[in-house]
Amino acid sequence: MMTSETAGRLCRHLDQVQDVSPDSPDSCPECVARGDTWMHLRECQTCGHIGCCDSSRNKHATAHHHDTGHPVIRSYEPGESWWWCYADQVAFEIEDTPPARAS
């Protein structure tokens, strides 16, 4: 597990991380609107958008990054605490940062 200082050296976009509120408690709203399913959820750390992962058919989290330029997401799966920076192509965890959703 990394400290925020170490993560900041790997991901140069932590300054864009905000205190966000998820726009969905437990689903990918875009998949729901299409009547589709998803594999795993990701939360944008700039605006709180919840999107499905790249293992899902629609890849809404990555599409959101391409549409907005928001660089940092984190897992929105219960108990998972990893983060991903699209711009720097690096996965990381931040010490003492609990998962976005408890197990």
Side-chain angles (χ1 to χ4, degrees):
M1 181 130 12
M2 294 181 216
T3 65
S4 58
E5 180 181 320
T6 303
R9 286 192 297 255
L10 297 173
C11 168
R12 297 167 290 137
H13 301 87
L14 291 180
D15 61 338
Q16 295 183 45
V17 171
Q18 303 292 318
D19 183 17
V20 298
S21 296
D23 65 5
S24 172
D26 60 4
S27 63
C28 175
E30 293 156 304
C31 284
V32 170
R34 289 180 167 200
D36 214 341
T37 60
W38 58 91
M39 298 285 294
H40 303 285
L41 299 173
R42 309 294 180 240
E43 180 185 47
C44 174
Q45 294 303 287
T46 301
C47 70
H49 175 269
I50 302 297
C52 56
C53 70
D54 284 357
S55 295
S56 301
R57 175 184 338 193
N58 298 302
K59 304 176 183 174
H60 286 122
T62 296
H64 176 76
H65 161 67
H66 290 302
D67 290 346
T68 65
H70 297 167
V72 181
I73 61 170
R74 66 189 291 198
S75 176
Y76 198 62
E77 290 300 305
E80 293 185 0
S81 57
W82 60 265
W83 299 47
W84 174 256
C85 178
Y86 287 104
D88 293 319
Q89 294 288 293
V90 63
F92 57 93
E93 292 185 17
I94 298 178
E95 188 175 39
D96 299 325
T97 300
R101 291 171 51 198
S103 296

